[in-house]
DNA sequence: TTGACGCATGCCGATATCGGCATATGATGA
DNA sequence: TCATCATATGCCGATATCGGCATGCGTCAA
């Protein structure tokens, strides 16, 4: 039945897949070329099962591809799935590039009120 | 001690904040201007407490700002926090725009393998 | 065939998430 | 002051997440 879901399945949503810092690191690393799981785990300081699990998530949302190479499984980047995210955030570009009526007033307000650095 | 965290705190990470579909909808809606909570909840078909909670997360990562207006609290967009996400994904742009050596090989490989093997 | 390697998966525990509901808090106006 | 509106928060239950560990399974080499 699955009436309620605590969160959109990480496995079906690129936004969710890249919400995990380690998974983002994997993607970055894979920009330099494909890697077998163990090597990847080693370079990122994670356990092999840990790497495998993250890779699975990435695979399921289509951000990586696997290629069998004998004993190994070479994981490679497939960044096409990141494009929608890029475009989605791009839809807000003008809101951070231009200074807006209300927005601008806010910003000035805040800059004065807080020092903005705290976090 | 908090040795292990099941996930990066949603409250400290913009990536995580926008991993939630409803929160993304809120951000989109707020592009057209600020809104009091109830109106926002109504327009997006969510309960008032639900809206408040999502707004809290968005506030804590700095994606929205609140302005007190008498009884109401007007929430407005602050898209600056989306810029890092845009840039991060942008770092993968050439991987989906250009056709790459290895990448290309993969694709060809897969096309062949599927035609032959047909799992 | 056997053993070692590479990897995936299953189970567990701790914790976080999300929605619903009730309720607390705060401002407004009669 | 008191009722009311607007919002925030607390608690709950169901579920998902993530890391660690053990183990299963396939591949290769001797």
């Amino acid at each position: 039945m699955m009436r309620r879901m605590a969160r959109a399945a990480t496995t079906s949503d690129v936004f969710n897949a890249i919400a995990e810092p380690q998974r983002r690191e994997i993607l970055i690393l894979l920009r330099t070329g494909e890697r077998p799981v163990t090597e990847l785990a080693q370079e990122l300081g994670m356990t092999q099962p840990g790497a495998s699990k993250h890779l699975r998530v990435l695979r399921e949302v289509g951000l990586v591809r696997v290629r069998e190479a004998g004993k190994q499984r070479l994981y490679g980047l497939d960044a096409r799935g990141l494009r929608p995210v890029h475009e989605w955030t791009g839809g807000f570009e003008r809101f951070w590039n231009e200074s807006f009526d209300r927005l601008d007033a806010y910003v000035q307000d805040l800059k004065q009120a807080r020092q903005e650095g705290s976090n």
Side-chain angles (χ1 to χ4, degrees), chain A:
Chain A
M1 271 282 204
M2 188 171 71
R3 311 270 313 121
R4 237 168 297 150
M5 232 178 342
R7 174 168 219 152
T10 180
T11 202
S12 62
D13 184 353
V14 174
F15 280 91
N16 233 308
I18 65 172
E20 233 294 326
Q22 306 221 64
R23 286 197 286 265
R24 289 202 296 276
E25 285 180 32
I26 290 178
L27 294 176
I28 290 176
L29 179 57
L30 290 183
R31 282 194 301 206
T32 65
E34 43 180 17
R35 293 268 193 310
V37 177
T38 304
E39 188 181 324
L40 199 152
Q42 199 177 331
E43 296 187 80
L44 294 180
M46 30 200 270
T47 65
Q48 175 269 308
S52 276
K53 284 172 186 172
H54 283 310
L55 285 167
R56 176 177 187 163
V57 174
L58 293 172
R59 203 192 327 142
E60 281 173 339
V61 301
L63 287 175
V64 300
R65 269 190 314 279
V66 208
R67 186 165 66 96
E68 316 254 333
K71 255 193 278 194
Q72 318 200 22
R73 322 251 297 180
L74 298 180
Y75 279 84
L77 182 63
D78 183 353
R80 287 174 295 175
L82 291 178
R83 189 169 187 168
V85 179
H86 190 68
E87 284 168 353
W88 188 82
T89 51
F92 294 85
E93 197 164 4
R94 59 182 201 136
F95 291 94
W96 72 63
N97 274 337
E98 299 174 20
S99 83
F100 265 70
D101 21 311
R102 284 182 241 76
L103 195 75
D104 203 48
Y106 283 162
V107 176
Q108 302 313 326
D109 251 28
L110 290 179
K111 273 183 181 168
Q112 265 190 335
R114 304 174 185 169
Q115 284 287 353
E116 190 195 16
S118 53
N119 230 344

